[in-house]
Amino acid sequence: MWRYIAQRILVSIPVIIMVGMITFTLVYIGPGDPAAIIAGDEATPEILEQIRADLGFDRPFPVQMGDWFWKLLHGDLGTSYFSRREITELITPRLQPTLSLGFQVVVLSTIIGITTGMLAAWKAGSRLDRNLMVLAVLGFATPGFWLAFLTIWIFAVNLGWFPVIGYSPIQDGLFAHIHSLFLPVMVNSILASAFISRITRSAMLEVLREDYIRTARAKGASELSVFLRHAFRPSAIPVATVIGASIAGLATGFVLTETIFAIPGLGRMLVDAIVRRDYPIIQALLMVVAIVLIGVNLIVDILYAYIDPRIRY
Amino acid sequence: MTEPLLKVENLQTQFRTEGGLVKAVDDVSFEVQPGETFALVGESGCGKSVTALSIMGLIPNPPGEIVSGKIEFNGVDLLKLSGREMREIRGSKIGMIFQEPMSSLNPVLTIQSQLTEALRIHTDLSKNATNDRAVELVDMVGIADAKTRMKQYPHQLSGGQRQRIMIAMAMSCTPQLLIADEATTALDVTIQAQILDLMKDVTEQSGTALLIITHNLGIVARYANRVAVMYAGQLREVGEAVEMYTEPRHPYTIGLLRSVPRLDSEKGTPLAPIAGEIPDLTNLPSGCAFSPRCGWAVDKCFEESPLLEETSSGKKVACFEHQSVALNVQ
Ligand SMILES: Nc1ncnc2c1ncn2[C@@H]1O[C@H](COP(=O)(O)OP(=O)(O)OP(=O)(O)O)[C@@H](O)[C@H]1O
Ligand SMILES: [Mg+2]
């Protein structure tokens, strides 16, 4: 097991390097001259030249990339063009809202998705099953932004149960924090759980057709034990895959969510950076997202091994 | 005559499929005596597994349904039992082994947890006692290193070993009846014999009756006391195992005998597969279902379906022409 985990981690290192190279190159060849952005409209060619030299833009591409990697390795994400501040310093306060939102959505959508999926499989073909699956189809056919605006309109504007915008950090009280994130958590969870639910149902139904399920019944096992003890774990592999994929989906979805709900997280930061062409921040955030996704993949891989002994050995 | 352990009477099991109604088991009756070995033989798709699953109460519904008949076990009609009562019999009084050793064990559960499951369900043994019993069972089925096997998973065992575990599992509560549905078909020939010997041994030791299901009439010779030959959902010939070889009475039985290699056949005797195709159960020919493939068929065979009748020698056969068959074979 430990060997397997170590192996997985080793395999992720070249992936991270690749992602870094691609990120850096894309931003390097991207439109716009950073020196012009920094200098503003009235800059003379001499000033531009000066800025380029200061920031090292006059060096050859491989040297710039090597320098960037070297700093990255030492935890230095660079300096913002716009605010001239260390990016690590800028990112730190942005982490909490995004991580909290992500954590709540993953937990909630996993719980909702797996329970409704199992219920539908348990009562496969029944009215409950059909209703749940219609809801699931609606869930992933609904555009996220539309649902977001709808919930804001109903629960925040008309009913006034939740703030329209505004984020309350954990330090100011857990309840206030959860309350302030309630709508975005709900919107994202509903969308993500629809997918998890469908996959759980179909994975369960597939496993229930396996020969070893018949063996369990032949031993006199009750239907509940067949369902939970014999069928759930083998079906968990596709479910773990989908949860991993939906986390990847969330990473991009949060750009939208944080913008609509005015949450001061990483997603908003990225939008702002793109608007201002603040390349170092874009690079840094893409790197952070990539590392998070690789981490999620790693966790899913470890889960696989936990679920299925055939992978462990 | 002792009370039969299992008495199947006029069993009819059907499946509603897109292609139409499949009469997988059509009016089947037979008896299994306590402790005997009874073989159910027939080509693929003739309804052997459906018969076994009907006895176990494991016919998937829908699409399947037992439409009529009785399955008496110790004098109690299993078809009248509630789901709960039937669960109490499955795994404790009747054990079953399946054809596919590779997929019949749960890949994510340890051998120990699968082996002890029936004991946990059906007995009040303590945890330690069930675990000890599991080790004993693994020893009994001839797998070395029983203790370390307990923590292993099915993929760490060979096909033959898995089938041995299946036997241990099915025998864990010392059932009165063990059903082995093509338990050896997927294995190497040498291992097939070992597994059959093992089943014969363990059932003899505990006085368990054995219902062997196979399409290989050759296998049955050494193991069964009595044999029932099944074709297209119906029994065609039932009798003592030895008689099936010395005096087969149904043309289908003769076909089956010629189509499988036998240990006692002379070297160089060619194998003759039965001509024609296995019939489509949704669209059976009128008359005797075997008539299109039968060399003995007369006009009547294409119009009427023969019933299983007792002959003078005491065996049962469903064929209008069985007397002329008898004369010709002798
Ligand atoms: N779940 C099911 N749904 C529909 N039809 C079925 C089902 N199970 C069995 N049947 C049909 O019942 C008939 C008998 O099948 P059965 O499995 O009993 O054959 P068998 O004699 O065991 O053959 P084999 O030697 O291949 O195992 C087949 O025609 C099959 O198509
Ligand atoms: Mg079968």
Side-chain angles (χ1 to χ4, degrees):
Chain A
M1 185 81 177
W2 291 113
R3 249 191 60 196
Y4 171 84
I5 295 175
Q7 220 175 357
R8 290 282 115 180
I9 294 177
L10 277 178
V11 171
S12 336
I13 293 173
V15 179
I16 292 182
I17 294 176
M18 284 292 290
V19 171
M21 285 166 75
I22 294 171
T23 311
F24 187 85
T25 312
L26 278 182
V27 173
Y28 183 85
I29 61 175
D33 177 0
I37 299 167
I38 295 167
D41 290 341
E42 285 115 54
T44 58
E46 294 81 61
I47 294 178
L48 286 182
E49 214 43 52
Q50 182 61 43
I51 292 174
R52 283 198 193 106
D54 282 352
L55 295 175
F57 290 152
D58 52 352
R59 295 171 302 167
F61 171 71
V63 177
Q64 286 189 45
M65 181 150 80
D67 186 46
W68 182 70
F69 261 118
W70 183 249
K71 284 184 179 154
L72 199 64
L73 216 60
H74 293 82
D76 179 1
L77 293 173
T79 326
S80 157
Y81 289 164
F82 190 76
S83 67
R84 295 293 176 140
R85 285 170 63 197
E86 291 277 320
I87 293 174
T88 33
E89 219 175 280
L90 292 171
I91 281 184
T92 315
R94 302 287 194 140
L95 283 174
Q96 193 203 64
T98 303
L99 288 183
S100 174
L101 185 60
F103 177 77
Q104 291 184 55
V105 170
V106 169
V107 170
L108 202 65
S109 62
T110 302
I111 293 174
I112 298 176
I114 290 183
T115 36
T116 53
M118 300 247 309
L119 262 178
W122 175 254
K123 295 277 172 214
S126 70
R127 175 178 282 170
L128 175 72
D129 173 28
R130 280 198 302 274
N131 289 343
L132 281 172
M133 286 309 112
V134 167
L135 281 179
V137 170
L138 274 180
F140 61 73
T142 306
F145 72 89
W146 180 81
L147 192 61
F149 283 125
L150 187 72
T151 51
I152 290 178
W153 186 71
I154 296 176
F155 296 106
V157 176
N158 281 322
L159 294 173
W161 291 354
F162 301 98
V164 177
I165 53 165
Y167 171 75
S168 165
I170 298 178
Q171 301 86 287
D172 296 356
L174 190 62
F175 178 78
H177 174 69
I178 290 177
H179 187 244
S180 75
L181 284 180
F182 188 84
L183 289 182
V185 165
M186 271 332 224
V187 168
N188 281 288
S189 300
I190 287 170
L191 300 180
S193 63
F195 204 25
I196 297 173
S197 175
R198 275 197 79 92
I199 297 294
T200 304
R201 176 183 181 272
S202 67
M204 283 297 289
L205 289 182
E206 192 157 313
V207 169
L208 285 170
R209 278 196 295 270
E210 294 281 348
D211 290 333
Y212 54 81
I213 297 299
R214 194 182 51 190
T215 308
R217 293 204 172 107
K219 283 191 273 189
S222 69
E223 278 309 295
L224 195 66
S225 147
V226 164
F227 210 75
L228 296 179
R229 209 172 98 82
H230 289 272
F232 179 63
R233 238 174 81 189
S235 1
I237 290 239
V239 176
T241 311
V242 168
I243 293 174
S246 65
I247 292 177
L250 286 179
T252 50
F254 278 4
V255 171
L256 202 73
T257 307
E258 291 182 1
T259 308
I260 296 175
F261 288 97
I263 298 163
L266 295 174
R268 266 275 295 289
M269 188 177 180
L270 182 62
V271 175
D272 293 345
I274 292 171
V275 171
R276 292 170 183 157
R277 299 245 165 102
D278 203 338
Y279 286 128
I281 292 189
I282 299 175
Q283 274 173 340
L285 287 178
L286 288 183
M287 238 11 233
V288 169
V289 171
I291 289 171
V292 167
L293 292 188
I294 289 169
V296 168
N297 247 316
L298 189 70
I299 293 171
V300 170
D301 276 348
I302 293 171
L303 265 179
Y304 282 169
Y306 170 73
I307 296 166
D308 191 338
R310 282 168 297 186
I311 297 174
R312 216 175 304 158
Y313 292 94
Chain B
M1 187 85 183
T2 52
E3 266 294 293
L5 174 68
L6 177 75
K7 191 169 168 190
V8 176
E9 251 180 87
N10 308 105
L11 179 68
Q12 275 200 302
T13 307
Q14 304 181 338
F15 291 91
R16 274 171 210 291
T17 66
E18 280 164 26
L21 189 67
V22 178
K23 294 186 174 176
V25 174
D26 191 11
D27 201 17
V28 162
S29 306
F30 64 92
E31 288 173 8
V32 179
Q33 304 299 329
E36 83 165 330
T37 299
F38 188 90
L40 189 57
V41 188
E43 279 170 307
S44 188
C46 71
K48 306 181 299 286
S49 297
V50 173
T51 307
L53 292 175
S54 301
I55 297 169
M56 291 295 280
L58 290 177
I59 293 292
N61 181 2
E65 195 193 350
I66 298 179
V67 282
S68 66
K70 270 191 199 168
I71 300 176
E72 279 181 12
F73 183 72
N74 285 325
V76 179
D77 188 355
L78 298 183
L79 299 181
K80 295 220 168 72
L81 296 185
S82 68
R84 195 198 160 83
E85 288 167 325
M86 197 57 218
R87 269 206 303 280
E88 278 166 16
I89 289 181
R90 278 203 291 269
S92 79
K93 298 279 193 300
I94 309 180
M96 184 157 175
I97 306 167
F98 299 94
Q99 176 168 355
E100 305 81 9
M102 290 313 184
S103 54
S104 290
L105 289 169
N106 193 323
V108 305
L109 298 177
T110 59
I111 300 298
Q112 173 167 282
S113 88
Q114 299 189 59
L115 253 179
T116 52
E117 183 166 14
L119 291 166
R120 276 180 281 130
I121 296 171
H122 301 291
T123 68
D124 304 323
L125 291 179
S126 71
K127 199 171 167 182
N128 280 335
T130 41
N131 289 348
D132 290 348
R133 171 87 177 130
V135 174
E136 230 176 83
L137 285 162
V138 174
D139 266 336
M140 177 187 82
V141 296
I143 296 181
D145 243 349
K147 279 226 168 63
T148 48
R149 300 293 179 187
M150 289 296 135
K151 298 278 169 254
Q152 291 190 325
Y153 291 90
H155 73 273
Q156 292 167 292
L157 304 179
S158 71
Q161 285 172 330
R162 287 186 219 187
Q163 209 56 311
R164 285 168 192 268
I165 295 291
M166 287 293 293
I167 295 173
M169 237 162 62
M171 290 299 292
S172 61
C173 295
T174 332
Q176 291 172 288
L177 175 66
L178 177 66
I179 304 176
D181 186 359
E182 312 244 15
T184 62
T185 308
L187 302 171
D188 278 344
V189 184
T190 46
I191 299 178
Q192 280 189 17
Q194 289 173 13
I195 297 290
L196 281 163
D197 286 335
L198 176 65
M199 286 195 305
K200 189 77 182 165
D201 276 357
V202 295
T203 49
E204 250 163 31
Q205 270 170 33
S206 58
T208 301
L210 179 59
L211 174 56
I212 294 187
I213 293 178
T214 175
H215 57 246
N216 188 341
L217 195 47
I219 284 187
V220 176
R222 280 174 53 200
Y223 300 96
N225 306 104
R226 288 190 309 130
V227 176
V229 175
M230 194 168 187
Y231 185 79
Q234 297 182 332
L235 296 190
R236 301 295 156 156
E237 186 163 2
V238 185
E240 300 290 318
V242 197
E243 282 175 12
M244 284 296 161
Y245 301 93
T246 55
E247 39 194 275
R249 286 294 172 264
H250 196 285
Y252 179 60
T253 313
I254 296 168
L256 274 182
L257 284 170
R258 290 198 183 136
S259 68
V260 293
R262 286 179 53 193
L263 295 174
D264 57 351
S265 60
E266 272 172 48
K267 237 189 176 156
T269 320
L271 292 182
I274 305 174
E277 287 190 7
I278 298 172
D280 173 7
L281 288 182
T282 55
N283 187 17
L284 284 176
S286 59
C288 170
F290 189 60
S291 56
R293 302 170 74 184
C294 180
W296 272 274
V298 295
D299 287 351
K300 191 182 182 189
C301 301
F302 296 98
E303 285 148 19
E304 261 179 72
S305 187
L307 294 174
L308 199 63
E309 279 171 8
E310 202 153 327
T311 65
S312 46
S313 64
K315 77 163 15 173
K316 288 180 186 161
V317 59
C319 178
F320 295 126
E321 288 294 299
H322 68 85
Q323 272 155 348
S324 61
V325 172
L327 289 175
N328 271 293
V329 170
Q330 233 90 88

